Amino acid sequence: MINQQKFQLLKQYFGYNSFREGQEELIDAILQGRDVFGIMPTGAGKSICYQLPGLLFQGITLVISPLISLMKDQVTQLNDAGIYAAFLNSSLSQNQYFKALEYARNLKYKIIYVAPERLLTDSFLSFAMEAPIDFVSVDEAHCVSQWGQDFRPSYLKITEFIARLPKRPVVGAFTATATDVVKKDVVDILQLHNPVQVTTGFDRKNLYFEVRTPKDKYREVQSIVEKHAKENGIIYCISRKLVDEVTEKLAREGYSVTRYHAGLSDAERKRNQEDFIYDRCRIMVATNAFGMGIDKSDVRYVIHYNMPKNMESYYQEAGRAGRDGEPAECILLYSGQDVRTNEFFINNDRDNEELDSANLEEIKRKDRERLKKMTFYCFTNDCLREYMLKYFGEYKGGYCGNCNNCLTKFEEIDITELAKNILLCIQETNERFGMTVIMDVIHGSETERIRKLGLRNNTYYGTGQKHSIVKLRKVMQELQAKEYIVSSGDEYPVLELADKGIHFLGSDEKILLKLPQETERLASKSIKKTAQSEQLNYAAGDGDLFDKLRELRGKLARKAKIPAYIVFTDKTLLQMSTMRPKNKAEMLQVAGVAEAKFERYGEAFLAEIQAFQADRPKAVAKIKIKQSL
Ligand code: ADP
Ligand code: ZN
């Protein structure tokens, strides 16, 4: 019985025919009255795991969430799907807040989102003590742990709140963070009762990963943005200044762009964020201050203008792409300067000043270690996804087919002699220079600097003449990644020989290096291969109709003052453009079209599709003419 209802509700309210990995197990457990703990990556679909049971419980479901913007977004989505829901947080005026509580008392809402700070206030408690609360769902549950990256003291109130309720509700916890200490903390601190724990893999198959080392980062950004002209993307920069610069350049060249960083007024930040969410601006240029709780599902690319400080940050930020499960690109633009900037931040970090110096040093040591792992991600020629998953303790093995390294044809070359020359050159110059100078010496460059330093007389000058600078840089990065040489010094980093390098000079060890065959590239199987799970890809949709449907969506969204992806996601529109439903029944077959959505928007989209069909002969004729020219 419940089983049937579950699927019916999934279709009716959310428009989906099947559950994703982990969802059903969690929902079943909750409905059987068990506590649960769901650990799923961003975009995996955690919300449905508590929203759907919320519909089946007699009483009220409380969702505790730290993020005001996320609450608002989810409540808008629920309301749009025909589910009564509300949020209670500091964005409401006193008046609005009491009004909402009154409605809640009268059981107007099935699902109520509440900020943790509210839980123990008199007004909220007096409501909660009388209300039939069946289920409490804790979103971003890692915030209870001091070991996580986003500890929030107010989360500690949750346990007391639950303990004070007259009847203990079912408790669910959800997070995308999964280190072992944090997991244990969540279960202990929230006092979950023998929870059903579900962990789904961290792999996000629809995301394509790539690292580039361009000469001109801005031009590189421009070419990526051009490729995604009609799509939404985020560009992360390491500093506010850079955010301003990149935004300004893009704006000057006519791109639809906005910015976000902590140096802006609250009002501007809010406005810019909304411009991006509501599709009034296509491109968001931001520091890492942007994104916490941004639920925009149709971000098609995330560019990192600079390498972030660690893999955790990178995966979190890059993971804001493609939350709808459709193909999306995550491209990191690396330069050696990024390493130095991050080192500077670590050395000058004032966040933990209350700690004693031993602890402080220990934290810095760990930060440097993490930075090193991040740097090696930029250097590796192996599968980027594998590198990442391994870092997070998950092993997939081998070839993902959807990262640049998997799609590049490599040749393995013997760089033993070149490596020896590089090391000897570093030695002969007394470890006083950085990568550029050493590279120029080996390459035999005729620069002003080399002449001034008298390095044309170096024994190894020009010994690597036949290799391109690009290749030499790769070799030097490899030597760093494999720890033959180390880069040290804060302001002017210099290269030094590590123990392993010294040992290598006196041995007959060989070093092999995988290098891209510079022009060749395997045909991108990426998109088809990775979108398998969702059986859809952009190439399969009908571009013209898709554009028309998007336009219509934009119009409807503006009218209803909600973000476009809440009306329908890109994926839903794509499917519509291929299936071309002719009536309500066919329309309801499209994934993402639920009953309530159809009532609201269905006819408009049917009409648009019909109009397009009627136009179709003309379109075909046009193509024919073109071909015959
Ligand atoms: P999370 O909270 O885990 O980051 P969300 O709950 O926001 O992820 O879900 C991400 C996207 O996946 C949303 O667009 C949601 O509608 C979609 N989604 C969730 N469950 C399903 C499902 N069973 N089938 C198809 N799409 C789904
Ligand atoms: Zn790969």
Side-chain angles (χ1 to χ4, degrees), residues 381 410-419 466-468 471-472 474-475 478 482 510-518:
N381 283 328
F410 288 97
E411 54 187 341
E412 203 159 43
I413 58 164
D414 186 335
I415 56 162
T416 312
E417 193 194 328
L418 186 54
K466 64 172 190 222
H467 303 292
S468 67
K471 193 161 172 180
L472 286 176
K474 272 267 168 208
V475 171
E478 175 80 0
K482 296 263 164 71
K510 289 223 167 309
I511 306 183
L512 299 174
L513 173 66
K514 267 168 72 183
L515 276 184
Q517 286 178 359
E518 280 169 11

Side-chain angles (χ1 to χ4, degrees), residues 77-118:
Q77 278 190 32
L78 288 171
N79 290 339
D80 203 54
I83 298 167
Y84 293 96
F87 59 84
L88 301 172
N89 61 33
S90 60
S91 74
L92 300 181
S93 69
Q94 185 87 337
N95 249 345
Q96 291 171 317
Y97 179 69
F98 284 111
K99 186 134 218 171
L101 263 189
E102 192 186 312
Y103 281 145
R105 266 199 200 91
N106 296 330
L107 304 182
K108 285 242 183 198
Y109 307 123
K110 281 302 279 183
I111 301 178
I112 298 173
Y113 284 73
V114 57
E117 295 81 12
R118 295 273 150 173

Side-chain angles (χ1 to χ4, degrees), residues 19 53 99 126 145 151 165 198 285 315 319 437 444 457 596 620 627:
F19 288 103
K99 186 134 218 171
S126 83
S145 172
F151 172 58
L165 294 175
V198 173
V285 185
Y315 202 54
V437 170
N457 302 323
V620 172
Q627 277 171 345

Side-chain angles (χ1 to χ4, degrees), residues 423 427 483-485 497-506:
L423 296 185
Q427 224 172 27
E483 303 190 300
Y484 290 91
I485 51 181
L497 265 54
D499 290 346
K500 199 171 158 193
I502 294 169
H503 179 260
F504 163 69
L505 284 177

Side-chain angles (χ1 to χ4, degrees), residues 9-75:
L9 292 176
L10 181 68
K11 183 74 209 163
Q12 182 184 344
Y13 287 105
F14 304 99
Y16 300 127
N17 291 316
S18 58
F19 288 103
R20 286 197 186 150
E21 188 189 349
Q23 286 181 330
E24 197 172 3
E25 196 180 344
L26 287 163
I27 290 169
D28 286 348
I30 294 166
L31 292 174
Q32 283 159 21
R34 295 277 307 269
D35 283 359
V36 301
F37 185 13
I39 302 149
M40 299 154 96
T42 306
K46 289 185 281 297
S47 326
I48 283 183
C49 299
Y50 50 82
Q51 290 167 345
L52 198 146
L55 296 174
L56 282 166
F57 279 121
Q58 284 283 316
I60 293 171
T61 288
L62 285 187
V63 181
I64 300 169
S65 165
L67 305 164
I68 290 178
S69 57
L70 195 103
M71 285 192 212
K72 184 167 168 236
D73 214 41
Q74 295 220 342
V75 167

Side-chain angles (χ1 to χ4, degrees), residues 311-365:
M311 294 293 296
E312 285 87 349
S313 312
Y314 183 61
Y315 202 54
Q316 187 174 46
E317 288 156 16
R320 300 203 168 107
R323 293 183 50 142
D324 51 11
E326 279 299 292
E329 295 186 342
C330 309
I331 300 176
L332 193 164
L333 305 181
Y334 171 86
S335 79
Q337 181 59 42
D338 299 338
V339 183
R340 297 193 278 283
T341 310
N342 277 302
E343 266 163 7
F344 177 84
F345 286 152
I346 294 175
N347 294 332
N348 295 282
D349 181 14
R350 302 265 170 272
D351 267 1
N352 299 296
E353 279 200 314
E354 73 282 9
L355 293 179
D356 61 49
S357 62
N359 272 319
L360 210 55
E361 256 329 294
E362 180 58 17
I363 289 184
K364 292 193 173 172
R365 195 186 62 73

Side-chain angles (χ1 to χ4, degrees), residues 309 346 349 363-371:
K309 61 179 190 281
I346 294 175
D349 181 14
I363 289 184
K364 292 193 173 172
R365 195 186 62 73
K366 285 197 180 126
D367 284 349
R368 286 196 194 98
E369 193 56 35
R370 278 201 276 254
L371 174 61

